[in-house]
Amino acid sequence: MTTTPVETGRNFAALAGTDRVAGQLYTDPGIFEQELEKIFYRTWVWVAHESEIPEAGSFKMATIGRQPVIVNRDRKGNFNVLLNRCRHRGASVCEVPKGKANGFTCPYHSWSYSLEGQLRGIPYPEGYEGVVEKKDMPLQRLRVESYAGMIFASFNHDIEPLEDFLGDAKIWIDRFMKQGAGYPIKVQGEHRFRFDGNWKIQLENTTDGYHFPIVHRSWMASVDAETADMLSFMTDEKAVTHALGNGHSVAIMVPEHVDLAEDDGTEDLQERFGHIIEELSQTMPPEQVRRIVRSMHGAGFNLNLFPNVAMSMSFFRVLRPVSVNETEIQHLALGLEGGPESVNRERLRIHEHFQGPFGFGTPDDSEAWDRVQRGAYGNQEMPILVNRGLGREEITEEGWKTSHVTDESGMREAYAQWKRMMSND
Amino acid sequence: MTSPTTVAGLEAAGGLELGPGRLADPRVAKAIELVWHEATLLDAKEYEAWERLWTVDGKYIIPIDPETEDFETHLNMVYDDARMRRMRVTRLVEGYSMSAVAAARTARTISRFTVAELDEESVTLRSAQVLVGFKREKHLLLAADLTHRIRFTDAGALIDLKVVRLVNSDGAVTASGFLL
């Protein structure tokens, strides 16, 4: 065991075992501070989907850990992620959540920056003669890479390439995007809420098939029988979770919708979409209608990308750690760029039905997570169990640890990555 | 600055919409009474009685976009027709939703009424709502601008449209087991 460096404090990695973690992981503010430094400020963190910044000059604000950033697309079409902090006295240079701009000007003393972050103008520059060179004072730039429209940034310029970090998750990202049915995926809107609990509680939940029929019983009771049946995976042997490496995992809830491009024609289209089938059939061949309608609920799986984004059936779930016991969640509703209006509207209604602070699903998840946080303060030495399915876990030919979708293979994968990143070695 | 004295003047001033004197109109009084009755039922979590306050075509909307009137093509927090309202009420009362079972106690105040439209069949009211909730040692506060269209039918005054524009609609909104 190496000596614990002073600047990083205690070595918390030992608190995570392979099949259980200490309750302290949800409650200890010291652990939270280290997580920001060792995970959120060091790895790839999702910041945007390319459809959110569609044109030259489009930007959005985002936050990595506690640090405010601006994500934009410049005139060359490149994505930039800039620290939202003036080099002069630290004011944020942008407080518009989303929009279009030629650059960013600090409101305090009007230092102005380009989309790439270069310092362009300083008012009354004579006071800086021989003191400040503009070329030395750009906005801090993060490393930026994207895959299939998913834009990630990192404060760590020496980090491995994004594609290496994503690894086998790329296969699942590609499959996820097939719900566009030939159209590019676009973000159609977002719900945003907070819960009183640690960020890892949400991270775990994305691959937690076990909670679904219990926590979401009221949602299941409200949807049509076909949709409820589609999500009845508790005893479906083909519904599995794969651990994909680097903390990533995928939970397959609807095995027949893993690859939406594959259609043997035996699946009946859901009656609830009758009006859409009728409309699309007037202008589209039957195969295309089937492809769009079978994709209406999204891909048949939740892909969990460590540490902050999930591609969850038909939406993106983004988490942001606010404090040890507070987390902000965004649910971004997806649609088909240039696709039929009626399809995009229907997808919005499906999203509203489950997601958001007044949806039929989110409030119950949120309540469950609040309860985890409250309970975890009781005997913090007592472990949190993530051992479900350990006895039936197998390794696929791809090398993925795999168990049933109600098992906790995905959580074990996330905690293995947590342990690696939190280690002082 | 002198106060405008004509209806047109008031509209130009952007404040009182249809002008003074409207609150004394019996149709407006009836509409306000219904809005307050609705608030009482929601605070009491009498959702089945609340559901009976609506017209068949009534829409209940909590938008996200602060500007839009085109709710259909935007993502909302709530976009309910009668069918969705029915399912929502069932969810809230049947006991399977853990957030509804553990919902905050709430007290809401609705005031600052102005009359946006008024005719024989309906009244459209605008107002402000301040809701204070309490759950597990914490208070929560939700402020909103409301629009109610109240329709006078053979069955009495009914809600035909309710739009709740939360002041934090495009920020983080606490997930709730109650209704606004």
Side-chain angles (χ1 to χ4, degrees):
Chain A
M1 181 133 174
T2 55
T3 316
T4 306
V6 175
E7 67 271 20
T8 49
R10 288 193 288 150
N11 185 352
F12 294 116
L15 294 175
T18 51
D19 68 345
R20 63 198 59 207
V21 301
Q24 271 168 281
L25 261 63
Y26 298 152
T27 57
D28 185 333
I31 295 179
F32 181 80
E33 293 303 321
Q34 267 202 21
E35 288 172 339
L36 293 183
E37 294 298 330
K38 292 186 161 188
I39 298 173
F40 286 89
Y41 301 155
R42 238 179 249 187
T43 191
W44 287 109
V45 173
W46 185 92
V47 289
H49 182 257
E50 63 179 6
S51 67
E52 296 180 279
I53 46 170
E55 296 163 33
S58 298
F59 69 86
K60 72 171 259 199
M61 288 169 60
T63 312
I64 299 178
R66 284 197 194 98
Q67 304 201 50
V69 297
I70 303 165
V71 187
N72 75 54
R73 190 191 289 247
D74 63 32
R75 278 174 205 83
K76 293 177 201 130
N78 296 323
F79 303 128
N80 301 286
V81 178
L82 309 168
L83 198 66
N84 188 2
R85 179 201 189 280
C86 183
R87 290 301 301 271
H88 175 213
R89 297 263 285 285
S92 61
V93 298
C94 175
E95 287 295 345
V96 178
K98 208 170 225 190
K100 267 189 88 168
N102 294 318
F104 305 96
T105 301
C106 179
Y108 201 3
H109 304 91
S110 280
W111 285 33
S112 60
Y113 301 89
S114 70
L115 293 170
E116 294 84 4
Q118 292 134 346
L119 179 57
R120 284 265 175 77
I122 298 181
Y124 307 103
E126 51 280 7
Y128 286 113
E129 268 173 38
V131 179
V132 166
E133 288 290 332
K134 281 193 283 193
K135 67 173 174 43
D136 298 333
M137 290 287 153
L139 294 177
Q140 183 182 334
R141 288 173 59 84
L142 279 72
R143 185 151 155 206
V144 191
E145 287 177 22
S146 71
Y147 181 79
M150 304 290 276
I151 306 171
F152 294 76
S154 180
F155 283 101
N156 175 8
H157 284 266
D158 301 324
I159 195 171
E160 64 188 315
L162 175 67
E163 292 209 19
D164 293 354
F165 171 69
L166 293 173
D168 286 351
K170 293 200 297 288
I171 300 165
W172 295 90
I173 294 175
D174 294 342
R175 285 178 179 161
F176 185 90
M177 295 301 181
K178 290 186 183 182
Q179 66 185 283
Y183 299 96
I185 290 292
K186 69 166 178 181
V187 173
Q188 292 206 82
E190 69 173 65
H191 288 124
R192 196 183 279 254
F193 67 99
R194 291 186 174 199
F195 71 95
D196 292 333
N198 188 269
W199 64 278
K200 297 184 292 300
I201 298 170
Q202 159 70 94
L203 185 73
E204 294 164 11
N205 179 264
T206 293
T207 57
D208 187 331
Y210 197 24
H211 84 294
F212 200 86
I214 300 152
V215 170
H216 301 306
R217 181 165 170 181
S218 77
W219 176 83
M220 290 285 263
S222 74
V223 295
D224 58 299
E226 288 169 321
T227 301
D229 190 46
M230 182 184 81
L231 283 161
S232 299
F233 48 71
M234 297 306 279
T235 54
D236 180 349
E237 286 180 8
K238 283 183 283 181
V240 296
T241 294
H242 300 298
L244 302 172
N246 288 350
H248 316 314
S249 59
V250 62
I252 300 167
M253 280 92 67
V254 190
E256 59 276 21
H257 287 179
V258 160
D259 186 341
L260 288 161
E262 284 177 13
D263 179 9
D264 63 11
T266 58
E267 180 186 337
D268 291 332
L269 297 180
Q270 291 190 1
E271 265 182 52
R272 65 185 283 186
F273 301 131
H275 60 292
I276 289 174
I277 297 165
E278 194 177 325
E279 183 203 306
L280 299 185
S281 296
Q282 290 174 10
T283 55
M284 288 179 182
E287 318 81 70
Q288 198 181 357
V289 174
R290 279 187 68 82
R291 175 76 188 270
I292 289 173
V293 174
R294 287 179 75 240
S295 303
M296 202 70 90
H297 294 286
F301 55 85
N302 288 354
L303 174 63
N304 204 21
L305 300 176
F306 189 93
N308 83 318
V309 68
M311 305 171 74
S312 193
M313 295 192 75
S314 59
F315 69 100
F316 299 148
R317 185 273 294 148
V318 186
L319 69 80
R320 173 158 80 85
V322 176
S323 69
V324 69
N325 56 8
E326 189 174 13
T327 305
E328 184 163 305
I329 306 292
Q330 289 164 269
H331 288 160
L332 285 73
L334 303 178
L336 281 45
E337 180 70 59
E341 291 260 320
S342 58
V343 171
N344 285 336
R345 278 202 303 272
E346 191 74 16
R347 290 182 66 114
L348 288 172
R349 302 292 91 81
I350 293 171
H351 190 84
E352 284 162 356
H353 191 153
F354 191 99
Q355 314 294 344
F358 293 89
F360 287 25
T362 297
D364 295 328
D365 274 328
S366 185
E367 169 70 9
W369 305 336
D370 282 7
R371 295 279 292 269
V372 172
Q373 187 72 22
R374 287 172 68 80
Y377 282 102
N379 191 353
Q380 295 181 45
E381 306 289 311
M382 191 180 275
I384 303 290
L385 297 182
V386 289
N387 56 3
R388 185 177 159 83
L390 203 55
R392 55 180 172 180
E393 198 167 77
E394 292 175 353
I395 296 183
T396 64
E397 56 191 53
E398 296 92 341
W400 302 332
K401 283 183 188 167
T402 297
S403 194
H404 192 252
V405 72
T406 60
D407 293 342
E408 290 160 350
S409 302
M411 297 170 216
R412 291 193 283 277
E413 176 60 36
Y415 280 114
Q417 178 73 1
W418 185 92
K419 190 178 176 71
R420 277 191 292 275
M421 297 201 74
M422 290 295 280
S423 162
N424 288 326
D425 299 338
Chain B
M1 194 178 129
T2 52
S3 304
T5 51
T6 63
V7 169
L10 283 161
E11 282 184 328
L16 298 177
E17 300 186 334
L18 285 186
R22 305 284 174 174
L23 292 178
D25 187 297
R27 290 164 296 182
V28 172
K30 215 179 256 184
I32 291 175
E33 195 170 31
L34 176 57
V35 169
W36 279 339
H37 178 53
E38 186 209 5
T40 308
L41 291 177
L42 289 176
D43 278 336
K45 300 183 171 58
E46 299 278 352
Y47 297 117
E48 283 156 323
W50 171 78
E51 194 190 357
R52 292 193 289 273
L53 302 181
W54 291 81
T55 65
V56 175
D57 299 323
K59 283 263 170 65
Y60 169 44
I61 304 162
I62 308 180
I64 294 170
D65 187 321
E67 308 295 333
T68 192
E69 295 285 334
D70 179 11
F71 308 114
E72 180 90 18
T73 63
H74 283 74
L75 187 69
N76 305 286
M77 284 178 262
V78 171
Y79 186 73
D80 282 5
D81 55 12
R83 181 181 147 272
M84 274 297 283
R85 234 174 0 255
R86 177 87 282 278
M87 296 194 294
R88 190 177 293 280
V89 168
T90 302
R91 182 180 116 79
L92 291 170
V93 301
E94 73 185 345
Y96 298 147
S97 159
M98 65 194 292
S99 62
V101 169
R105 282 181 67 183
T106 61
R108 67 196 76 199
T109 308
I110 303 171
S111 188
R112 204 199 63 198
F113 283 104
T114 57
V115 182
E117 285 171 47
L118 174 61
D119 60 38
E120 288 307 312
E121 279 151 24
S122 72
V123 175
T124 303
L125 295 172
R126 298 219 170 98
S127 60
Q129 169 170 289
V130 177
L131 178 150
V132 179
F134 182 79
K135 176 178 171 177
R136 294 184 196 136
E137 301 147 45
K138 277 175 85 170
H139 281 91
L140 67 98
L141 184 67
L142 288 168
D145 290 309
L146 305 184
T147 299
H148 279 90
R149 185 168 67 228
I150 306 300
R151 194 167 286 286
F152 302 107
T153 72
D154 295 340
L158 294 171
I159 305 168
D160 197 38
L161 174 71
K162 178 179 180 181
V163 181
V164 182
R165 292 190 186 272
L166 285 167
V167 299
N168 58 332
S169 68
D170 55 359
V173 177
T174 305
S176 305
F178 56 85
L179 293 185
L180 294 177

